[in-house]
Amino acid sequence: MSLSRRNLLAAGGAALAAVATRQTVSRAEDVAKETAARDSSPAITEGRIHQSVMGWCFKPMPSIELAKHCKAIGIEAIEGIPASDYPAVTKLGLKISLVGSHGFQNGPLDPENHAMNEAKLREAIDTAVKFGAPSVITFTGMRKTGIDDRQATKNCLDLWKRVLPYAEANDITLVLEHLNSRDDTHPMKGHPGYWGDDVELCVDLVKQLDSPRFKLLFDIYHVQIMNGDIIRRIREYHPLIGHYHTAGSPGRGELNDDQEINYPAVMRAILETGYSQYVAQEFIPTSNDPIASLREAARVCDV
């Protein structure tokens, strides 16, 4: 029995549809395979920038889970996690890039904090030695009524001078972080009232201490907000810089096209200075997939 023209057309259409469906499925499978391969392979291939990650940005993700993702991405180190998690993450093969101390609010600007500051810094130096971390963070603290800039400078320097010989003896660098005081939209996007909000002031404090074991923590995000001119400042201050932090500005989000800092250019400028310590990713993820955001940030900075 012969097929009608209509039946022939229908059969041909069904065959074409089946082929198209197979091609669509095949393309989808290829994309899925490429995505899986990309997500399971390191995002960092050059490795000239030694990247770390700030753990607090990814809470409530446990430190060990974040560390496993870092290993897959190719990130070398981690910071901003509880010291109690150091043994577990170092067992995975990650390094500790920076040890915390007294926090940014109760700093040496106020002499009432000095005993606590000194104890916390000495403890952090001991922890850094134990886990092979190169640096310990410190801050100026918040402004306080009755303490002017001259006295604040003296108070900070007095405390750091007490701790610095211990840091020098243990080959640990204290790094002073400059923070922005402009952004008041979120408790960790800006710090209104922080005294060390001018990077020029922080540079002057570092210069006054005049020690290879006291340097500036150059937070690219905070400097962009308060002072700008990032690459010129990196080139000028590089002998005084001991650590870097990243984040998109404004908003402290991902290092993507929605923010104003040209991170590949900044990373190249850092490399040109001969810097060989850590650059830590300290952005607050806004996407539904924070690890994808971290992977992309690592790729952006891998120049």
Side-chain angles (χ1 to χ4, degrees), residues 141-199:
M142 310 300 276
R143 296 178 184 274
K144 185 174 181 179
T145 302
I147 299 179
D148 61 19
D149 288 349
R150 182 192 62 79
Q151 190 62 50
T153 297
K154 181 179 185 304
N155 292 346
C156 287
L157 293 176
D158 284 349
L159 181 278
W160 291 325
K161 285 175 182 177
R162 293 216 304 262
V163 180
L164 195 49
Y166 192 63
E168 291 171 338
N170 284 281
D171 294 328
I172 300 297
T173 303
L174 302 182
V175 288
L176 168 62
E177 185 166 19
H178 159 268
L179 303 174
N180 92 78
S181 59
R182 294 190 63 192
D183 192 330
D184 60 359
T185 64
H186 182 283
M188 292 303 288
K189 292 183 179 180
H191 309 285
Y194 184 72
W195 183 60
D197 63 351
D198 178 3
V199 72

Side-chain angles (χ1 to χ4, degrees), residues 217-282:
L217 195 167
F218 192 104
D219 188 302
I220 298 162
Y221 160 77
H222 289 305
V223 173
Q224 171 67 3
I225 291 174
M226 294 302 300
N227 298 89
D229 207 7
I230 292 170
I231 289 177
R232 191 194 307 266
R233 293 181 190 280
I234 286 170
R235 289 170 176 164
E236 181 179 355
Y237 302 146
H238 76 86
L240 307 176
I241 297 172
H243 199 75
Y244 284 94
H245 283 165
T246 75
S249 178
R252 198 167 198 164
E254 284 86 350
L255 279 56
N256 58 26
D257 293 339
D258 294 329
Q259 57 87 43
E260 64 193 5
I261 304 173
N262 182 354
Y263 268 100
V266 171
M267 293 300 120
R268 286 192 291 270
I270 290 171
L271 287 174
E272 287 167 5
T273 67
Y275 179 80
S276 60
Q277 294 297 318
Y278 292 105
V279 174
Q281 302 287 356
E282 199 186 15

Side-chain angles (χ1 to χ4, degrees), residues 53-61 66 79-81 186 188 219 245-247 252-254 280-286 290-291 294:
V53 65
M54 181 62 77
W56 72 260
C57 299
F58 292 84
K59 288 182 177 179
M61 183 181 295
L66 177 60
E79 59 191 66
I81 62 172
H186 182 283
M188 292 303 288
D219 188 302
H245 283 165
T246 75
R252 198 167 198 164
E254 284 86 350
Q281 302 287 356
E282 199 186 15
F283 65 91
I284 301 174
T286 62
I291 298 305
L294 180 58

